[in-house]
Amino acid sequence: MSKQGRDPLLLNKILGGILSAGIVAWAGVHIADGLMNTSPPEKPAIKIAGGKAATVPVAAASGIPSINNLIAKANVQQGKTFVGQQCAACHTINKGGANGVGPNLYGVMNAPMFAHAGYSFSSAVKKKASGNWTYHKMNEWLYDPMKFAPGTHMTYAGIKNTNVRADVVAYLRTLSSNPIPLPKPKPVTAAAQPINAGGTKTTPAAEAQGNGAPSIASLYKTASTSQGQTFFQQQCAACHTINKGGANGVGPNLYGVVGSKKFDKAGFSFSSAVKKHAKGNWTPHALNQWLYDPMKFAPGTHMAYPGVKNNQMRANVIAYLNSQSAKPEKLENAAPAAAAYRPIPKPATGAAPAAVKEPTTSANAGGSAEGNVPSIAGLYKTGTVAKGQTFFQQQCAACHSVTKGGPNGVGPNLYGVVGSKKFDKAGFSFSSAAKKHAKGNWTPHALNRWLYDPMKYAPGTHMAYPGIKNNQTRASVVEYLNSLSPHPEKLPGEK
């Protein structure tokens, strides 16, 4: 891969993913919680792992943790940072600011729901436009916009971390000349149950490493480097490169991170919050603590990510990161086989990419090959736009907008991509690797080959993603992209 920065290949980040949840950038914001008219919660209050007393009741009706008791002591600065990283690509927040992909958010708290001057809201959200944005409504909206208003154009997976939602709502509250009153705390009537920052229950035994990160030393023996790689590609590749000599992006390049100095990467500017923790090296133990909850490891970090709470998955990710090094370390308690992992080789300059064969299974059949890529022509009749949209929202929305006239982001806007010129989007600068393949248009056939493996389609691309190997999923994504046009094409084999 090139050392030049990220390759916003036309469908590059269709495969990238975010912090995400994660990723990700990406990403709209919803605000709701507080001013609740529901009766006191039936479930007991919960405690944030390593935090103070139980003060987070769970909303009785929706099951979404309430943020009422967290608003008053929320970290407004962290909320501002999160909004800047996750929402600013679509929303302006200044007084009188212009609408963008999403409406301007100044004064949103206590304003009428889904009613902002000059902005056209979808019919899906208009159905939910009852009254004003209270803390309660905003909390539920931000938790999962697509469940709050099915069919919304808000392609964002939501903020599942309760503390982060509280920080975001507390910040949105300040965007007003007359901020809405703070919510009244809900009474705590039952015994507290420990809960971690991501909203899942834990046990005292799991809080053994200072910040509540359970030890995973014994899990390296069962760690799957391939699963760690898949997780990385889905959750982290939108912000981090991992190839040797790769460029820094939103986050630093992570090649050789295991054993390297903490928060010390040439050419990358770390925040003052993480520099306070820049002592020693990134051992598996330190990475476990960081990955479990970055915001608790280094309060104030710009890494607005709730962490990887699944213990085995953290072990998988660390095993993968360890493999991406010229000299992988022997992980504690790892089985001997773990030492056999090697970094994923880069394609030799000028060499023809090796043939890619996808296993044929009953769940992943697709017909004849298209230049070593399985054909999906016969699958459009069974694919669904909805499934493609869901995949896109989870994997691609942090980097690509899909609305008509939407702005370019980390990757180009993809409205009308089917039938458009390859690697040619007004206002977007494509890499030299991509430009070498900028002949013709994005046909379903070309999209199928690109989505199967971007790095083999255009060797040297900055798109560190292995592609969508499931044939039916590729067909669904192509169908969804085709639907984003005033004149969708008739897909091969489509009924």
Side-chain angles (χ1 to χ4, degrees):
M1 295 170 66
S2 169
K3 296 184 180 181
Q4 300 177 3
R6 280 181 191 276
D7 182 359
L9 295 182
L10 211 281
L11 296 175
N12 245 349
K13 313 293 177 168
I14 281 182
L15 315 161
I18 60 68
L19 257 167
S20 54
I23 118 315
V24 155
W26 39 90
V29 184
H30 301 357
I31 316 160
D33 202 29
L35 302 183
M36 297 175 67
N37 295 320
T38 58
S39 58
E42 297 178 359
K43 296 185 178 181
I46 52 183
K47 178 182 179 182
I48 304 303
K52 297 182 180 180
T55 56
V56 188
V58 175
S62 66
I64 298 172
S66 170
I67 57 174
N68 276 18
N69 291 355
L70 298 176
I71 292 293
K73 56 184 179 182
N75 190 320
V76 173
Q77 185 57 44
Q78 286 192 23
K80 180 179 180 180
T81 298
F82 186 94
V83 169
Q85 293 178 339
Q86 298 278 331
C87 322
C90 297
H91 299 274
T92 60
I93 56 176
N94 57 309
K95 186 175 182 178
N99 296 315
V101 175
N104 171 271
L105 295 179
Y106 186 86
V108 67
M109 293 304 300
N110 207 32
M113 294 176 67
F114 305 116
H116 189 82
Y119 189 81
S120 178
F121 291 90
S122 68
S123 58
V125 299
K126 287 181 179 179
K127 295 176 182 178
K128 298 289 183 177
S130 175
N132 295 349
W133 280 117
T134 65
Y135 291 107
H136 173 63
K137 293 175 182 176
M138 193 60 83
N139 182 49
E140 292 193 334
W141 167 250
L142 286 176
Y143 184 82
D144 195 327
M146 292 180 280
K147 281 192 175 180
F148 186 96
T152 176
H153 295 165
M154 172 73 164
T155 55
Y156 185 60
I159 307 173
K160 299 302 186 287
N161 184 297
T162 304
N163 277 4
V164 174
R165 282 202 315 286
D167 292 344
V168 168
V169 174
Y171 170 61
L172 292 173
R173 175 183 178 272
T174 69
L175 302 176
S176 171
S177 56
N178 185 26
I180 184 175
L182 291 171
K184 294 181 179 180
K186 291 292 179 179
V188 178
T189 58
Q193 293 185 46
I195 192 166
N196 63 37
T200 57
K201 294 179 181 179
T202 184
T203 63
E207 301 177 4
Q209 296 194 5
N211 71 335
S215 173
I216 56 174
S218 64
L219 298 178
Y220 291 123
K221 66 179 66 175
T222 55
S224 168
T225 298
S226 61
Q227 288 186 24
Q229 180 182 9
T230 298
F231 185 94
F232 183 93
Q233 291 160 346
Q234 294 176 341
Q235 297 281 326
C236 321
C239 297
H240 297 275
T241 60
I242 197 167
N243 58 304
K244 185 177 182 180
N248 297 315
V250 176
N253 171 271
L254 295 179
Y255 182 84
V257 65
V258 178
S260 68
K261 292 182 179 180
K262 290 182 181 176
F263 307 113
D264 182 4
K265 182 69 178 180
F268 190 82
S269 178
F270 290 91
S271 68
S272 57
V274 299
K275 287 181 179 178
K276 296 176 183 178
H277 300 267
K279 295 180 181 180
N281 294 347
W282 280 119
T283 63
H285 173 83
L287 281 171
N288 177 48
Q289 291 189 307
W290 167 252
L291 290 175
Y292 183 76
D293 196 327
M295 291 181 281
K296 281 192 174 180
F297 186 100
T301 176
H302 295 166
M303 174 76 163
Y305 185 66
V308 185
K309 297 303 185 289
N310 183 285
N311 297 336
Q312 185 62 68
M313 186 55 71
R314 281 201 314 287
N316 295 342
V317 171
I318 292 173
Y320 171 61
L321 292 173
N322 185 53
S323 75
Q324 302 304 296
S325 169
K327 296 181 180 180
E329 297 189 7
K330 180 70 166 69
L331 296 177
E332 183 181 1
N333 290 338
Y341 290 127
R342 293 291 183 269
I344 299 173
K346 295 170 61 178
T349 303
V356 177
K357 299 293 184 180
E358 181 183 80
T360 301
T361 67
S362 58
N364 198 25
S368 60
E370 299 176 5
N372 296 321
V373 175
S375 171
I376 54 175
L379 297 178
Y380 292 121
K381 58 187 177 184
T382 56
T384 65
V385 170
K387 287 183 179 180
Q389 180 179 15
T390 298
F391 185 93
F392 185 94
Q393 291 164 344
Q394 294 174 342
Q395 300 278 334
C396 326
C399 299
H400 296 276
S401 64
V402 292
T403 52
K404 186 177 181 179
N408 297 314
V410 175
N413 171 272
L414 294 179
Y415 183 85
V417 65
V418 178
S420 69
K421 292 182 178 180
K422 291 182 181 177
F423 307 114
D424 182 5
K425 182 69 178 180
F428 193 83
S429 177
F430 291 92
S431 70
S432 56
K435 289 179 180 178
K436 293 178 182 178
H437 299 268
K439 295 180 180 179
N441 294 346
W442 281 118
T443 63
H445 172 85
L447 281 171
N448 176 47
R449 297 183 65 191
W450 165 251
L451 290 174
Y452 184 79
D453 195 327
M455 292 183 284
K456 286 195 173 179
Y457 186 100
T461 175
H462 305 152
M463 173 67 172
Y465 194 78
I468 307 174
K469 298 303 186 287
N470 183 284
N471 299 333
Q472 185 61 70
T473 299
R474 283 202 315 287
S476 297
V477 170
V478 174
E479 281 194 311
Y480 172 59
L481 292 173
N482 186 52
S483 74
L484 302 174
S485 169
H487 303 292
E489 295 188 8
K490 178 74 172 177
L491 297 177
E494 198 174 41
K495 289 184 177 180

